[in-house]
Amino acid sequence: MLNEVDAPQPPKVLTTPMEIAANLRLLQESHDPLIITFHERSQRFQSYVVEVDRETNKLALDEMIPRDGERFLQNGEPFRVEGFHDGVRIAWESTEPLSIKEADGHRSYHGALPLEVTYHQRRNAFRAALKLSQLVDVLLSGDKLKGEGALKGKLLDISATGCKLRFEGNVEERLQLGQVYEKFSASQLFGSTTTAVELRHLHFEERFNTTFAGVRFHNLNGQMQRKVESFVYQLQREARRFDKDDY
């Protein structure tokens, strides 16, 4: 059993401009991807926080991927923004219209800082990261995967609800944010069994020629859930032992 300190916390609603700006700045500085959803529309769009100005209470978001989400923005449709930073879900509703600006061929959306932000520690405080020498091989495949063949990658970190993956090169064209891929395997974790995962984050880092993806486990059965929790707990214990050795 995980101890009480590690248990997920209930959501908090942040209402002071200072708290709101500080948390949005975390998303900006860490380049954490955002998922944008428009009310009554199923499609998801990805963006990033590119500017937080506490002095003027202004916020700017990066161009949406795919860009056709802009037409909903121009229609003035309200939308929801959701980001994750170190296991904390940071989300808000946007009901005010945003202005679209273009500079040097790059578009961004500008508006006021939200009046309320939901801050929610979704999973246990510890997200188990694997040491570089111990990265687990993963395979992603299924009917929804674009292109030929399965995607081979590495497991970077894992929690009870999902994990972060790394793929060599730019594979963004083969994946769709919000899509459920029915065949995800990690032999060291699941043995020969596969499970479904939902793609929540996607980002190609040009400097490293590497694509990073965040996935959430989809409809894990009880046996698989226990395997994941056991694996996370084992990594937790190792990390804590390692931390103790440092003192």
Side-chain angles (χ1 to χ4, degrees):
M1 292 288 291
L2 299 175
N3 64 39
E4 290 297 315
V5 177
D6 290 337
Q9 303 296 310
K12 298 176 190 170
V13 177
L14 309 179
T15 54
T16 71
M18 192 162 71
E19 280 184 310
I20 288 169
N23 279 279
L24 298 186
R25 205 167 279 123
L26 281 178
L27 293 172
Q28 178 191 0
E29 289 168 358
S30 301
H31 202 60
D32 293 316
L34 307 176
I35 293 175
I36 293 178
T37 48
F38 289 87
H39 297 190
E40 298 173 21
R41 297 186 185 277
S42 59
Q43 195 175 2
R44 295 162 180 263
F45 303 91
Q46 182 170 296
S47 182
Y48 295 89
V49 177
V50 290
E51 187 184 320
V52 179
D53 191 332
R54 173 68 191 85
E55 301 280 312
T56 58
N57 277 354
K58 295 293 184 189
L59 169 72
L61 302 178
D62 201 10
E63 182 178 322
M64 269 187 271
I65 305 167
R67 186 163 147 186
D68 54 0
E70 257 185 37
R71 69 177 187 273
F72 308 137
L73 205 64
Q74 288 167 324
N75 291 344
E77 294 185 28
F79 59 91
R80 183 166 188 75
V81 187
E82 180 182 55
F84 288 86
H85 180 78
D86 285 348
V88 176
R89 176 176 172 268
I90 298 171
W92 66 96
E93 299 276 346
S94 181
T95 53
E96 299 295 317
L98 300 184
S99 59
I100 301 173
K101 297 184 180 177
E102 187 161 349
D104 302 322
H106 197 85
R107 295 163 82 82
S108 54
Y109 317 123
H110 297 253
L113 283 177
L115 297 176
E116 284 187 354
V117 164
T118 302
Y119 176 100
H120 191 188
Q121 182 82 42
R122 292 289 293 273
R123 53 171 184 251
N124 51 1
F126 188 96
R127 185 173 183 112
L130 283 78
K131 298 185 181 73
L132 283 174
S133 59
Q134 298 174 335
L135 295 187
V136 171
D137 292 323
V138 298
L139 212 57
L140 188 64
S141 62
D143 297 339
K144 306 286 195 231
L145 186 65
K146 298 172 190 169
E148 292 295 317
L151 275 178
K152 295 178 181 177
K154 297 283 187 184
L155 181 71
L156 294 183
D157 68 22
I158 184 167
S159 75
T161 54
C163 53
K164 188 172 180 181
L165 312 174
R166 182 186 82 188
F167 300 102
E168 292 297 318
N170 188 349
V171 299
E172 284 186 316
E173 294 297 316
R174 299 195 60 190
L175 296 164
Q176 172 64 49
L177 207 64
Q179 185 63 261
V180 173
Y181 297 95
E182 64 270 34
K183 291 181 182 173
F184 172 75
S185 62
S187 57
Q188 285 172 258
L189 184 51
F190 299 130
S192 57
T193 318
T194 62
T195 189
V197 292
E198 180 192 354
L199 183 66
R200 301 284 294 179
H201 308 159
L202 185 63
H203 174 59
F204 173 62
E205 191 62 66
E206 201 169 345
R207 288 173 301 165
F208 309 123
N209 190 32
T210 298
T211 303
F212 296 97
V215 300
R216 179 176 288 175
F217 298 125
H218 190 75
N219 294 340
L220 270 190
N221 64 36
Q223 183 188 5
M224 301 280 262
Q225 186 72 56
R226 284 190 294 275
K227 282 186 178 180
V228 170
E229 287 171 0
S230 169
F231 189 68
V232 172
Y233 185 56
Q234 178 192 331
L235 290 170
Q236 259 183 318
R237 287 181 59 188
E238 285 178 12
R240 284 176 177 155
R241 192 167 63 238
F242 185 74
D243 285 346
K244 281 178 188 167
D245 291 345
D246 275 356
Y247 288 105

